[in-house]
Amino acid sequence: MLVPLVDVRLDGPLPEDGEPATPIFYQLVTLDNLAFVLEDMTNDLTTVCQQLAATSSGRSKPDADWLTAVKKNFSEAKANLEKCLSEIESIGY
């Protein structure tokens, strides 16, 4: 049975001295487990984004540059996940 592994690494902040960031988390994870984790995380993200939108409908707004960066990262994540799904669907069964 073929079980693909994904190298998952979360780095801490970049040090001021130009040294590499210290990993906060590093693990090899099976593709199916990572798909589950991503689904769970995106479910939580949906809730947070709904709360942010509700809060931002009043006078308080998030920083424009921050919001632009968040939108860009979500857009790139969406495109990458769509590519992954397309590859998985091409396998067929």
Side-chain angles (χ1 to χ4, degrees), residues 3-68:
V3 180
L5 298 175
V6 180
D7 186 10
V8 178
R9 179 184 175 124
L10 302 174
D11 289 331
L14 290 173
E16 298 282 325
D17 60 7
E19 290 293 316
T22 302
I24 296 172
F25 175 85
Y26 175 77
Q27 188 72 44
L28 287 174
V29 181
T30 61
L31 183 60
D32 60 321
N33 283 338
L34 188 55
F36 173 80
V37 169
L38 287 172
E39 187 282 325
D40 187 55
M41 289 176 66
T42 55
N43 186 42
D44 293 344
L45 282 171
T46 299
T47 301
V48 171
C49 291
Q50 289 169 345
Q51 292 168 345
L52 177 62
T55 302
S56 300
S57 66
R59 297 176 85 160
S60 296
K61 306 282 187 207
D63 177 75
D65 291 338
W66 176 87
L67 191 59
T68 298

Side-chain angles (χ1 to χ4, degrees), residues 59-81:
R59 297 176 85 160
S60 296
K61 306 282 187 207
D63 177 75
D65 291 338
W66 176 87
L67 191 59
T68 298
V70 169
K71 288 191 282 189
K72 178 181 179 279
N73 286 326
F74 278 156
S75 179
E76 290 176 4
K78 177 184 175 183
N80 289 334
L81 286 171

